[in-house]
Amino acid sequence: MGISDLIASFLQESLDESDGGVLEVQRSDLAQRFNCVPSQINYVMSTRFSPEHGYIVESRRGGNGYIRITRVRMDRQTLLMHVVNSVGGELDLASAKAILSNLTTSGALDKNVGETLLACMGDRALGAVPRQTRDTVRAEMMKQALIHQLG
């Protein structure tokens, strides 16, 4: 079991024991506890406790900084719209893979649809698109595909 898995398990167990599905922790305390850099904590937050997984993460940096994880339940449409609104103007391939994986795992997208979208957004499919503009094209493709899934 890797460090990310250990951190995620610890946070999940703590969240399960918390009142009301809300957990507040210090980033520095977590990093110290698991003997890792704070960016490792950030990685776990962004990959394991994302809205696609049913969580909202609020963060405050600085001396008294904290991370607040709230478990939420979103319906499929709300989740897809949240992803559409959070994609931004560019989307690299690794992020597209993570988003589609999270959406299929959560059941918001059918596995075959997720795999098809990933194939369409891959560098091989976008080979005719200049490398410097692929992330922009990929972002628009993701947004349009997810909006289409809403209909």
Side-chain angles (χ1 to χ4, degrees):
M1 185 180 271
I3 187 79
S4 294
D5 294 328
L6 290 171
I7 296 167
S9 292
F10 172 79
L11 291 171
Q12 187 62 56
E13 287 171 18
S14 299
L15 194 55
D16 290 344
E17 295 170 2
S18 71
D19 290 330
V22 178
L23 175 67
E24 197 169 292
V25 293
Q26 300 281 115
R27 185 186 333 267
S28 59
D29 290 348
L30 281 175
Q32 222 174 11
R33 179 185 189 102
F34 291 98
N35 195 27
C36 66
V37 294
S39 62
Q40 184 74 41
I41 306 299
N42 295 343
Y43 171 78
V44 171
M45 292 299 155
S46 63
T47 59
R48 311 285 179 88
F49 294 92
S50 63
E52 297 84 23
H53 285 109
Y55 301 94
I56 294 176
V57 176
E58 300 169 75
S59 178
R60 182 171 158 225
R61 297 184 184 264
N64 292 325
Y66 63 85
I67 299 169
R68 182 179 299 129
I69 305 168
T70 306
R71 183 180 292 136
V72 294
R73 298 288 172 230
M74 285 188 218
D75 62 56
R76 180 178 180 272
Q77 276 194 288
T78 303
L79 176 57
L80 291 175
M81 279 311 301
H82 175 77
V83 174
V84 167
N85 291 327
S86 65
V87 165
E90 293 186 352
L91 183 66
D92 62 34
L93 184 55
S95 297
K97 284 179 183 178
I99 288 169
L100 292 171
S101 174
N102 291 342
L103 288 172
T104 56
T105 301
S106 72
L109 274 186
D110 179 73
K111 187 177 184 215
N112 288 335
V113 171
E115 289 172 354
T116 301
L117 290 175
L118 184 58
C120 292
M121 292 180 200
D123 284 336
R124 189 175 213 169
L126 296 176
V129 177
R131 199 170 287 282
Q132 64 270 22
T133 59
R134 285 183 192 171
D135 290 352
T136 303
V137 171
R138 191 176 288 117
E140 284 306 311
M141 290 173 69
M142 178 71 79
K143 290 179 206 176
Q144 291 305 311
L146 295 181
I147 289 169
H148 179 75
Q149 290 294 307
L150 291 168

